[in-house]
Amino acid sequence: MNHVAFGADSRAALAPGDPLASFRVAREPFYRPIADEMALFEAASAHRLPIVLKGPTGCGKTRFVEHMAWRLGRPLVTVACHEDLGAGDLVGRWLLDGDGTRWQDGPLTLAARFGGLCYLDELVEARADATVVIHPLTDTRRMLPLAQRNEMVHAHPDFQLVVSYNPSPMARQMKSSTRQRFCALHFGYASPEEETAIVARESGLGLEEASAIVAFGLRTRRLQGFGLDEGASTRMLVHAAILVVQGLTIVSACRMAMVDALSDDSAVHAALQSALDAAF
Amino acid sequence: MKTILSCWLRLLWDTAPPLRIDGDVPHIVDGAIHLPASDCWTGHTAAAAHATAHLVYSPVRFDGDGLGPIVRCVLALLEDARVEALAIRELPGLARLWRPLHTATPALGSGFEALLQRLARSLIDPDYDDPDAWVRKGRELFYLDRGLGLPALRTPSELRGAATRLGNDIGQMRLPFNAKTYTPVPTYRDDHRWMWAADRLERVAHAAPSPTRGSSDDDRDDAEVDREMYPEWDRLISRMRPDWCSVSERPAPQAATSGADAAIREVGVRLRAPLRSLTRRPVVLRRQEHGDVFDLGALVDWDVARRLRAAPDGRVYRARRLRPAHPLVWLLIDHSASTTTPLGAERGSLLDAVVQSATATGLALQQLGVTFSVAGFSSYGRHDVRMQMVKGFDPSNDTEWTGRLRHLRAGGSTRLGAALRHGTRRLARRGSGPRLLVVLSDGLPRDVDVHDPLYLVADAHRAVQEAARLSVRTVCLVFAGQGADEARKVFGSRGVQRIDDLRDLPQAIARLVDD
C-alpha cells in the first residue's frame, strides 16, 4: 500500500467501523481561491461528477483537492501515479498469508466501497490498464468490476473520482476516451499579487521580499519552451521564501530553490544564474 | 554562448532579439543585435543587455532633423543613460555589470570625448562626483531624484531639449570633434546607428549580403556508387522477379545552414514522450515477490511445500516490467517529384512538410539516445533507385544532418518496395532490439517504367510482409494528399497515419508507436 498518501494529521476523526478514518483531513489545509473554482467543484461534487484538474506543476492542484475534501468532510484517498502503476495497484490484488490467499483492496476499491474522494495524481503517467480500469466508475454505471475476485463493487453514493493532469509538451496526452468522462477545472499560476500573498502566507515572509521572489519566479516562466519545460512553480517560490525566513539572502535562496533546481542544461543554468545576478 | 545570451535576455525582458556575433562594434540593425566576436562573457552580456534595453525602452527611432552632430552625440548619450537607468531600476544587478566599465575620471582631461565619457560615468555611477560644471549640469538635467535613480527626461522631446542645451554649451567651448571617427565609450555601448533613420538606410544598403552560393550538383556522378540488387513481386505472375531492382546509396549533399528553427525544435520536444515508449519494452517476469497476479505454477509449488512442511518460496507473482530496449529506427523520406505539390499558402510544398517532420522526429530520437538513420529515396526506373544518405547510424552532429535533410530536392518517382527492402536489409543486419522503419511520403508508389497502378502497391505490401518476418516494423506517415488509401493497402490500416500539419505529428507518432 505504499502508493497511498495519508491525509494531513488524519488520526483525529478515528471512528470505529470507519475504514476510511485514516484518510480524513482533520485540519483545514490553506488554500487561496483564484477564481470560482470552489463553487464549480462543489457543484460537480453534488452529483459526484468526475473532475480532472489541469495545470502546471506546483500550481496548487493537490492542495486544492485536500482543501475541498476537508470542506466537504469526505475522506481523501490519494494515489500518485507513476509509469509503472498498473490496474492491480489501484483495484487490489491477492496476497498470501499463512492460511492461503487473501484479497487486499487497492486504494481505488477502498474509496469506491466506502465512499471517499479518490484523487489520482498525474493519471496519464500510469500504465494504460490503470487508466482503463476507472472507466466503469466514471460513467452512469458507477461500478468497479474486480475480475480477479469475481466481484462487482457498486460505488458508494459518496464516492467521487478526481484526477490531475499536467498538459505540458513533455507529458503524455490523455486519451479522448478517458478525457471525455471528466468535467475539467483549469488551473494556472495566480496573478503576481495573489501569488505574492500565497508565498507570504505559506512561508511567513514579509510581502516585500515575497514579491521580489515572485518577480524572479515570473522571469523563469518566460523560458518555458525555450530550454525549460516549465518555469518555477508556486511551490518553488514558497521554498525560496522559507529559505529566506531561515536566514538566507534572497539571492542564495533563489539560487538554491530555483536556479540550481530548475535545469541541468549548462546553458540554461548559466542564463538563469546571470539573470539572478541581474535581478538583485 | 549565443544560447545562454538569448535565454538570459528572455529571462530579463521576455524578448528574444536575433543575436549575431559578427560586428566590429556592437550595433543594432532591424531589431537584430550585432556583437563583436569576443571570448569575454561580461563584455558580451554588458553589450547585449545595453542593446536589448534600447529595444525594450527606446522609441523606434529619433527625429534627427535640424540636429547637429554634437547635439546628436549628446542625445545618444542621454538616451543610453536613460535606458540603463530604467533597466537598473527593474534589474538592480545590471548596475554591477555596467558601472565597472565606466572608468573616466577628471584626469582624462577636458577634451570633447573625455567630457562625454565623464558625463556618461556621472549619469550611471552615483558615487562618482565630477568637478566639471558642464558634467554637473548634465547630471542635474538628467535626474529628477538622484537617490532613487529616477530620470527626469522621459519623452523624446524632453530628451531633445536637454541634449540641445548641453550640446550648445559644449559647442561654445570650441573643442575639436570629428563626427566620422567618434565611437561611444565605454565600448559595450552600441554605435546608435538605429537612432537616425537616414543613416540606417545607408548602412543597411552596405550590409546587404551578396547571394553567392556555389551549389555543386552531385546528382550526376554515378561512377563510384555501389549497387545492391533486390527482387520485386509481380502480382500478375504471382512470383518474385529476382534481382529486379538496383538500389544505390550515396551521401546527400551537405548544405551550410544553422540548425532547425524553433517551431520544429518544439515539435521535437513534444515528440519525446510518444517516442520514449520505443526505448522500453514490457516483459512478463515469473516467480516475483510482488506483482499484479499470481503465477499459478509458483503458487502450486508454494502450497505443496507448505503441506510438506518445507520452507515455501514466497515468490508467487507474475509481474510486468519495462526493460530498456535498444531500438533502431530508419526514417525513409520520399522526395520524388510528386512531393513538390504545394500544401497551400505560406505552408510550402509537401516535401517541406516531410522534411520538417523528419527533422523533428530525428531531433527527438537523438535526444532519447535512439540509434537512427535518415535517408531520402527516389527512383528513375527499376535500374536506378537512389538512396540519399542524410544520416547514418553513427552519432552525428544535428546541424550537419538537418542541413543535409533540408537540402533534399524533389525529383524522380517512388519505387517504394525496393526502398523498403533496402531499409529492411540495413536494419536487419544490426542490433537485436526492436526495429522500426518509418516512411514519410505522399503515399503513392509510382515509377516511370510501371504502368499498372496496382503493381507497385502490391509489391510494396509484399515488402512490408517480408520486413515483418525479419522483425522490422514498417509504418508510414502520409502527408496531406490522396495517398492515404493506397498507403493503407501497403502498410495496413494500423501502420498508417495521415497528418495535415506539423503540430499533429506527436499524436500521429504516438498512434504508430504505441501499437
Side-chain angles (χ1 to χ4, degrees):
Chain A
M1 299 298 289
N2 52 348
H3 304 305
V4 178
F6 289 89
D9 213 5
S10 46
R11 309 287 154 189
L14 201 66
D18 179 2
L20 292 177
S22 61
F23 295 98
R24 289 190 185 277
V25 185
R27 262 179 299 174
E28 176 180 359
F30 169 70
Y31 182 78
R32 185 187 169 101
I34 298 173
D36 53 353
E37 67 270 26
M38 286 193 182
L40 294 176
F41 190 99
E42 280 176 0
S45 205
H47 289 275
R48 314 288 187 253
L49 295 178
I51 299 177
V52 56
L53 309 178
K54 292 162 61 170
T57 306
C59 70
K61 301 187 293 282
T62 302
R63 181 64 70 85
F64 173 70
V65 174
E66 284 181 356
H67 181 86
M68 292 312 292
W70 172 83
R71 216 178 161 79
L72 300 168
R74 300 229 212 109
L76 175 66
V77 181
T78 304
V79 184
C81 299
H82 51 81
E83 56 178 18
D84 211 20
L85 183 119
D89 296 311
L90 290 180
V91 299
R93 58 168 59 97
W94 287 102
L95 297 176
L96 280 182
D97 62 15
D99 305 321
T101 54
R102 176 172 61 84
W103 175 259
Q104 167 82 50
D105 275 344
L108 181 67
T109 315
L110 204 61
R113 233 189 254 287
F114 301 107
L117 268 182
C118 184
Y119 177 49
L120 305 179
D121 198 359
E122 299 292 347
L123 179 66
V124 281
E125 294 297 327
R127 274 174 14 206
D129 56 332
T131 40
V132 171
V133 83
I134 64 167
H135 285 188
L137 271 175
T138 47
D139 51 34
T140 48
R141 291 175 285 171
R142 281 177 64 82
M143 59 194 190
L144 178 63
L146 302 179
Q148 288 189 51
R149 207 186 176 212
N150 282 333
E151 185 190 347
M152 184 66 77
V153 177
H154 295 275
H156 188 281
D158 280 348
F159 168 76
Q160 188 186 2
L161 191 67
V162 181
V163 309
S164 77
Y165 171 46
N166 177 1
S168 83
M170 290 294 291
R172 288 197 229 172
Q173 301 252 325
M174 191 181 254
K175 282 197 289 189
S176 59
S177 60
T178 306
R179 184 187 289 270
Q180 298 217 354
R181 294 164 182 277
F182 291 90
C183 300
L185 274 177
H186 189 87
F187 283 71
Y189 296 118
S191 71
E193 296 75 33
E194 285 171 321
E195 204 163 15
T196 304
I198 292 169
V199 169
R201 163 69 172 70
E202 285 279 274
S203 62
L205 190 66
L207 275 179
E208 197 173 320
E209 285 166 301
S211 90
I213 290 173
V214 170
F216 181 69
L218 290 179
R219 289 182 192 284
T220 66
R221 290 176 197 163
R222 296 170 179 172
L223 272 197
Q224 185 167 342
F226 302 95
L228 288 182
D229 295 327
E230 283 180 357
S233 60
T234 310
R235 178 168 44 216
M236 271 187 161
L237 305 184
V238 171
H239 288 171
I242 287 173
L243 292 173
V244 175
V245 171
Q246 202 58 38
L248 294 191
T249 61
I250 291 192
V251 174
S252 10
C254 286
R255 183 180 311 130
M256 186 179 179
M258 292 189 246
V259 171
D260 290 350
L262 272 172
S263 179
D264 301 324
D265 182 309
S266 61
V268 175
H269 183 263
L272 284 166
Q273 180 61 50
S274 308
L276 181 64
D277 289 342
F280 293 103
Chain B
M1 179 81 95
K2 254 163 79 175
T3 341
I4 305 182
L5 272 180
S6 60
C7 283
W8 185 62
L9 294 176
R10 202 180 275 282
L11 284 163
L12 297 190
W13 287 295
D14 204 6
T15 172
L19 294 174
R20 314 248 188 280
I21 299 186
D22 57 2
D24 41 356
V25 291
H27 59 276
I28 305 172
V29 173
D30 290 333
I33 297 174
H34 296 252
L35 300 173
S38 140
D39 301 329
C40 172
W41 166 247
T42 46
H44 268 310
T45 47
H50 176 81
T52 313
H54 275 308
L55 297 177
V56 174
Y57 302 110
S58 286
V60 181
R61 79 180 51 144
F62 282 79
D63 178 13
D65 283 354
L67 296 183
I70 293 182
V71 177
R72 283 192 181 198
C73 282
V74 177
L75 176 54
L77 188 148
L78 292 180
E79 177 62 9
D80 282 345
R82 187 183 75 90
V83 296
E84 286 185 2
L86 292 174
I88 288 172
R89 267 177 65 73
E90 192 184 337
L91 298 153
L94 289 177
R96 287 197 301 277
L97 186 64
W98 286 323
R99 271 180 202 150
L101 300 171
H102 289 261
T103 52
T105 57
L108 210 56
S110 301
F112 180 82
E113 296 187 14
L115 280 178
L116 284 185
Q117 287 178 41
R118 288 163 65 180
L119 176 61
R121 178 166 182 193
S122 83
L123 294 184
I124 194 173
D125 190 348
D127 298 331
Y128 174 70
D129 199 20
D130 198 288
D132 185 90
W134 182 79
V135 173
R136 282 171 174 273
K137 181 175 179 186
R139 201 168 69 182
E140 277 151 27
L141 281 173
F142 185 80
Y143 276 110
L144 195 65
D145 180 330
R146 201 165 152 66
L148 288 173
L150 281 177
L153 311 169
R154 273 162 298 188
T155 62
S157 66
E158 284 174 355
L159 214 57
R160 193 182 159 117
T164 313
R165 286 174 62 187
L166 287 171
N168 289 342
D169 286 358
I170 200 169
Q172 311 235 314
M173 297 182 205
R174 308 274 177 237
L175 298 169
F177 166 61
N178 184 347
K180 293 250 188 289
T181 58
Y182 170 79
T183 49
V185 178
T187 48
Y188 74 84
R189 288 187 171 175
D190 62 273
D191 64 5
H192 307 119
R193 68 178 70 167
W194 60 272
M195 286 178 83
W196 321 109
D199 297 7
R200 205 168 68 133
L201 288 176
E202 182 190 318
R203 303 267 187 164
V204 169
H206 273 294
S210 49
T212 50
R213 185 199 275 184
S215 70
S216 61
D217 198 358
D218 45 358
D219 271 9
R220 300 284 169 263
D221 53 332
D222 281 354
E224 314 257 322
V225 289
D226 285 334
R227 295 183 174 279
E228 287 180 57
M229 301 305 290
Y230 292 92
E232 192 167 87
W233 175 256
D234 187 331
R235 70 179 192 100
L236 292 175
I237 60 172
S238 293
R239 289 253 155 81
M240 293 298 269
R241 291 187 179 273
D243 292 341
W244 197 250
C245 291
S246 158
V247 177
S248 60
E249 266 187 22
R250 64 193 80 195
Q254 174 62 284
T257 163
S258 54
D261 67 35
I264 296 178
R265 285 192 180 273
E266 203 222 306
V267 174
V269 170
R270 285 175 48 214
L271 276 168
R272 269 186 251 166
L275 285 171
R276 186 165 287 133
S277 65
L278 278 180
T279 63
R280 289 173 297 202
R281 61 179 161 178
V283 285
V284 174
L285 302 173
R286 298 186 170 277
R287 295 185 186 265
Q288 296 295 302
E289 214 149 335
H290 303 285
D292 295 344
V293 286
F294 282 134
D295 178 348
L296 286 179
L299 195 59
V300 170
D301 291 347
W302 174 85
D303 202 40
V304 169
R306 194 174 63 95
R307 290 185 193 191
L308 290 170
R309 295 182 187 280
D313 183 354
R315 292 173 297 170
V316 293
Y317 289 102
R318 265 186 356 192
R320 225 184 66 136
R321 293 272 180 282
L322 291 171
R323 281 276 175 82
H326 302 287
L328 275 181
V329 178
W330 183 302
L331 303 178
L332 197 52
I333 292 152
D334 169 11
H335 61 101
S336 59
S338 57
T339 56
T340 49
T341 318
L343 286 179
E346 92 242 4
R347 287 178 56 202
S349 69
L350 205 142
L351 182 60
D352 293 337
V354 168
V355 164
Q356 286 169 3
S357 304
T359 308
T361 312
L363 288 172
L365 290 170
Q366 188 156 328
Q367 270 149 353
L368 291 170
V370 174
T371 311
F372 72 105
S373 170
V374 186
F377 75 98
S378 58
S379 63
Y380 301 82
R382 70 183 177 96
H383 295 295
D384 190 9
V385 181
R386 298 179 188 171
M387 303 292 274
Q388 299 229 31
M389 296 308 295
V390 171
K391 179 188 175 299
F393 284 114
D394 300 325
S396 148
N397 180 347
D398 60 21
T399 50
E400 191 196 321
W401 66 260
T402 53
R404 288 180 195 270
L405 195 48
R406 221 183 299 173
H407 206 257
L408 283 181
R409 294 288 167 262
S413 316
T414 315
R415 204 166 193 108
L416 185 57
L420 285 173
R421 287 190 183 90
H422 185 77
T424 304
R425 186 181 280 181
R426 287 282 178 278
L427 281 169
R429 271 184 199 166
R430 296 178 69 106
S432 55
R435 284 167 288 213
L436 182 67
L437 201 160
V438 185
V439 180
L440 299 98
S441 168
D442 59 356
L444 297 167
R446 293 279 181 277
D447 207 348
V448 284
D449 55 357
V450 179
H451 304 292
D452 174 2
L454 299 178
Y455 175 91
L456 286 176
V457 173
D459 169 58
H461 180 58
R462 188 86 185 177
V464 166
Q465 291 173 326
E466 289 162 25
R469 278 201 289 279
L470 293 167
S471 355
V472 174
R473 265 195 70 208
T474 44
V475 296
C476 182
L477 278 171
V478 181
F479 289 80
Q482 66 277 52
D485 290 337
E486 278 180 299
R488 283 195 191 94
K489 284 182 199 150
V490 174
F491 295 93
S493 59
R494 301 200 322 165
V496 175
Q497 284 292 322
R498 190 192 141 136
I499 69 170
D500 293 318
D501 192 287
L502 187 61
R503 277 168 300 179
D504 304 335
L505 186 62
Q507 201 164 18
I509 290 278
R511 290 196 182 125
L512 287 178
V513 165
D514 268 357
D515 218 24

